[in-house]
Each structure stands twice: as structure tokens, then as C-alpha cells.
Amino acid sequence: TSAMVAIGAVTAVGASLIAIAQIDIKRCLSYSVSAYMGLVFIAVGTQQDEAALLLVLTHALGAALLVMSTGAIIWNSITQDVTLVGGLWSRRPVSGIAYVVGTLALIGFPPLGGFWALLKLASGLWETQPWLVGVVIAVNALTAFSLTREFSLIVGGKPKQMSDRSPEVSWQMALPMIILLAF
């Protein structure tokens, strides 16, 4: 079990750091998923099966919302490079709000599901291996920084070449995003 915890800790911290350096929207999100799967490894390695399952389920909802919102951004921008898009808040409010809520759910902002999952994991770790709580906090902080950085590049600033004429997606893509946003 200690090997599983070590692999989980290295994966979680390493993937969080790699996600910060990405300029591709999908790569940033995929490294965030890898980081949280590292946390799942830590939970399973410390025999916290309920926390691991809760982490997987709450992460799935937050990550799905992020994937839907970034997919909507890519759909009309025709690029995944965050350095080529910007200023989308006024043009894509639904996608922007979905991204914000997905990020908050992922990083454990109360009262969203990720908060309860991370709290359950940290509570169990505090009793047995308190140093791992530091790993959980570090991974969460790095993920928050990475997703905030990506959000500010995509939505903030002035419109750039690929987002100059970029409307919100059609209702067929926006409706499932809004439904998931409600969850």
C-alpha cells in the first residue's frame, strides 16, 4: 500500500505541475484529471475506499462540465491553443459560467461536491498520515492555479484572432451544459 500511496503522490503533484505549463486547453484538463487520479490512488492506498469513490464521482461531474465548456469554446474558435483566444466572457456567457462552476466543483469549493470528497479524504489522512494532507492541499492549490490561468487566458482580456467572431454555441450543445450546470 505504501507503493500505491507514493505513486499517487508523485502522480498528483507531477501532473498538477505539468498542467500549469500547458497551452492546449484539452491537455491542461487531462493533466488535472491525472492529478486527481493520483489522489484516488492515495485514498485507495490508505484504505479509504469511500473517499476514493466520492472523489471519482464528484470529479467526474466537475470535469464533465469543464470538458463541455471547453468543447463549446473550441467548437467555434477552431483552436485549442489558449494563447490564440481571449475576451470570450461577453460572447460566451454560458460557456464561461459553466467553466467557473466546473472549476469550483473540481477544486473543492464549498458547498459543491468536490469539497466533501476532499474533506473526507483529508479527514481520514489526518488520522494516519498527516503529511499527505499537505499533498492534497498542494494538488488542489496547483489545480486551482492552473484552471484559473486557463480561464483568464480564454475568457479574460481582449478578443484575439481566433475569438474575434466567436458566438455562443447552438442550443443543442448549450442545453446539456446547462443541465449539468444545475447538478
Side-chain angles (χ1 to χ4, degrees):
T1 60
S2 59
M4 186 176 254
V5 170
I7 290 170
V10 169
T11 301
V13 173
S16 296
L17 290 170
I18 292 171
I20 292 170
Q22 300 304 308
I23 61 168
D24 184 281
I25 296 171
K26 289 182 182 178
R27 283 186 185 172
C28 182
L29 293 180
S30 69
Y31 281 109
S32 308
V33 170
S34 297
Y36 273 78
M37 290 308 105
L39 294 180
V40 170
F41 264 63
I42 290 171
V44 171
T46 56
Q47 298 169 348
Q48 294 189 54
D49 299 333
E50 287 180 27
L53 182 60
L54 195 56
L55 266 173
V56 168
L57 293 175
T58 58
H59 184 270
L61 285 173
L65 195 53
L66 282 171
V67 167
M68 290 173 110
S69 63
T70 55
I73 290 164
I74 294 168
W75 180 262
N76 284 338
S77 299
I78 320 212
T79 185
Q80 295 176 189
D81 189 339
V82 295
T83 61
L84 298 177
V85 294
L88 290 178
W89 187 257
S90 62
R91 291 173 169 78
R92 302 212 181 160
V94 174
S95 299
I97 291 169
Y99 192 96
V100 168
V101 172
T103 297
L104 293 176
L106 209 64
I107 64 168
F109 192 81
L112 301 174
F115 171 75
W116 303 107
L118 289 170
L119 184 64
K120 185 165 185 67
L121 176 63
S123 296
L125 292 175
W126 190 256
E127 297 169 6
T128 57
Q129 298 176 349
W131 68 273
L132 284 174
V133 174
V135 171
V136 172
I137 291 169
V139 168
N140 203 35
L142 291 169
T143 301
F145 178 78
S146 172
L147 293 174
T148 303
R149 173 193 154 272
E150 185 176 320
F151 177 80
S152 64
L153 287 172
I154 295 169
V155 178
K158 295 180 181 178
K160 294 185 182 170
Q161 179 184 4
M162 300 303 279
S163 58
D164 214 8
R165 299 180 189 186
S166 187
E168 188 68 75
V169 292
S170 64
W171 70 270
Q172 293 94 338
M173 285 182 76
L175 184 63
M177 194 166 37
I178 292 168
I179 292 170
L180 186 58
L181 185 61
F183 282 108

